[in-house]
Amino acid sequence: MSGAAKILVVGPLGVGKTTLIGTVSEIEPLSTEASMTRAGVRVDPYPGDSDKTTTTVALDFGRRTVDGDLVLYLFGTPGQQRFLPAWRDLAKGALGALALVDARDLAASFDALGNLEDLDLPFAVAVNVFPHGPRYAAEDIRTALDLLPGTPLVTCDARDRSSSVRALIALVRHLIHVATESS
Ligand SMILES: Nc1nc2c(ncn2[C@@H]2O[C@H](COP(=O)(O)OP(=O)(O)O)[C@@H](O)[C@H]2O)c(=O)[nH]1
Ligand SMILES: [Mg+2]
């Protein structure tokens, strides 16, 4: 596969979207972050005991070439439900999505996965591994997230380039497979 593809990177607040795009991008990633206000902290409960003080209010953008000559334009989409209209706009023209999941809170990913299904956007799921996070068997994660058998499920560390690129390649392989099946 060569050419260019628009890819969404979706998932709940704090799952690692900004981190992953920054890790894999060949260009200086564009990231629009805003300080979380006290009010925002109430609206956007932050998982775990992280010292995170910013949250994405609009989008992240990066570019990554995989498999030689396929250029992926990566759009990180805000995970908060109240940004759903923006999320749907961002999905226009996208070929597929990488859905990031935090094993400490699988349910936090339901909204994003449901939106992808509503939009008929093919996706792969990447469990971003956090320290102290539970290690579930892949089958248990599939069941909890109600994934179709064909949906790729991989693990990654959003701070690690090779594992994050591997997750993107798993998605690309899936997109090729889906495109081949429907043609
Ligand atoms: N331990 C660990 N921390 C991570 C990982 N990915 C992201 N983080 C941290 O988790 C926080 C939230 O990540 P961020 O990329 O901002 O999440 P976003 O809200 O989905 O964009 C940041 O402080 C990251 O440094 C990871 O794979 N492992
Ligand atoms: Mg972010």
Side-chain angles (χ1 to χ4, degrees):
M1 200 187 226
S2 62
K6 176 181 178 180
I7 298 293
L8 302 187
V9 178
V10 308
L13 180 63
V15 76
K17 301 178 295 294
T18 302
T19 304
L20 183 135
I21 290 173
T23 298
V24 302
S25 187
E26 300 151 343
I27 56 172
E28 188 66 33
L30 171 69
S31 178
T32 51
E33 300 265 324
S35 292
M36 271 209 283
T37 62
R38 277 196 158 285
V41 171
R42 276 204 309 276
V43 180
D44 303 319
Y46 193 74
D49 52 1
S50 159
D51 56 358
K52 183 179 164 76
T53 53
T54 64
T55 182
T56 309
V57 293
L59 86 158
D60 300 293
F61 176 73
R63 187 194 75 200
R64 176 75 204 190
T65 308
V66 296
D67 277 355
D69 53 2
L70 174 62
V71 181
L72 303 181
Y73 291 99
L74 305 170
F75 292 76
T77 65
Q80 298 98 315
Q81 192 60 32
R82 68 176 183 276
F83 290 119
L84 183 59
W87 206 97
R88 288 181 182 277
D89 281 344
L90 278 166
K92 285 182 187 135
L95 222 59
L98 184 66
L100 290 180
V101 167
D102 180 346
R104 297 171 301 182
D105 187 0
L106 294 175
S109 289
F110 289 171
D111 284 343
L113 295 176
N115 292 340
L116 294 176
E117 280 160 13
D118 288 349
L119 294 165
D120 259 332
L121 205 58
F123 61 91
V125 173
V127 179
N128 186 20
V129 177
F130 289 87
H132 314 302
R135 308 288 153 123
Y136 297 118
E139 271 323 299
D140 294 338
I141 292 180
R142 284 188 173 282
T143 303
L145 298 178
D146 200 15
L147 301 184
L148 293 171
T151 302
L153 174 65
V154 299
T155 58
C156 72
D157 181 331
R159 301 163 304 175
D160 171 65
R161 180 166 298 146
S162 63
S163 77
S164 298
V165 169
R166 270 202 304 278
L168 288 171
I169 289 173
L171 169 63
V172 167
R173 301 261 149 86
H174 181 55
L175 296 179
I176 293 170
H177 182 72
V178 169
T180 313
E181 272 198 332
S182 63
S183 64

